[in-house]
Amino acid sequence: MATVARTVQAPPERVFSVLADGWSYSDWVVGTVHIRDVDPHWPTPGSKLHHKAGPWPLSLHDSSTVLACEPGRRLRLNAGLWPLGAAIVDIRLEPASENTTRVVIHEDFEAGPLLWIRNRVNDLILHRRNIETLRRLADIAERAHDYRRAGTA
């Protein structure tokens, strides 16, 4: 199990707008190299985004399904990577101040061979991956604000 947190210089609504854009996942989720399709009602519970992960020719095609969604506060996913398995990813947004958000990602293997071989090394890999994932998410959410501000100046 891996839990990572980061403070983002953007309000929760702006951070959630990145999460709500399923087409942006390959921009910030480490390991996802291409989004193949996104259900039109993403991120409502039951909706899916279809992704490709890993380098060619070893890339895997699967999908991630929304398990729970509280706009501006939480997104919980079942992230598939079959035949390796699946993970539950819980992303929570907590207001830290007027214009900052504490983002917490909790990820744990749910099924498949990755669950069976779970150990401290795997947890460390997930931890390091999610540090970079949160860095990328922060860059996108913070940059969105900079673009809007530059356009109004």
Side-chain angles (χ1 to χ4, degrees):
M1 151 178 27
T3 301
V4 176
R6 180 184 182 109
T7 299
V8 177
Q9 302 301 310
E13 297 76 24
R14 187 168 339 124
V15 177
F16 191 82
S17 73
V18 178
L19 301 178
D21 177 6
W23 291 103
S24 76
Y25 272 59
S26 60
D27 296 335
W28 60 273
V29 176
V30 174
T32 301
V33 295
H34 178 68
I35 301 301
R36 299 178 292 119
D37 193 23
V38 178
D39 286 356
H41 52 282
W42 177 269
T44 60
S47 63
K48 294 183 179 191
L49 65 81
H50 306 272
H51 48 75
K52 183 169 110 175
W56 183 89
L58 304 174
S59 56
L60 303 171
H61 291 215
D62 208 335
S63 60
S64 292
T65 305
V66 177
L67 300 173
C69 178
E70 299 173 44
R73 298 188 56 195
R74 180 182 188 206
L75 186 62
R76 184 174 171 88
L77 306 170
N78 182 316
L81 195 56
W82 287 96
L84 299 176
I88 299 297
V89 181
D90 196 11
I91 305 170
R92 295 183 181 257
L93 310 177
E94 304 164 355
S97 70
E98 185 176 335
N99 290 310
T100 62
T101 304
R102 183 171 185 264
V103 182
V104 179
I105 294 181
H106 176 80
E107 183 171 6
D108 200 7
F109 296 121
E110 173 73 4
L114 292 175
L115 174 64
W116 305 331
I117 62 169
R118 180 173 50 193
N119 59 35
R120 286 181 187 248
V121 172
N122 291 343
D123 289 347
L124 180 60
I125 291 168
L126 280 179
H127 184 82
R128 300 299 299 165
R129 181 181 83 104
N130 286 336
I131 288 171
E132 176 62 15
T133 290
L134 280 183
R135 187 194 63 78
R136 293 177 186 187
L137 177 64
D139 285 349
I140 293 168
E142 292 167 358
R143 187 176 62 226
H145 174 67
D146 291 341
Y147 286 147
R148 280 195 283 267
R149 190 173 46 189
T152 60

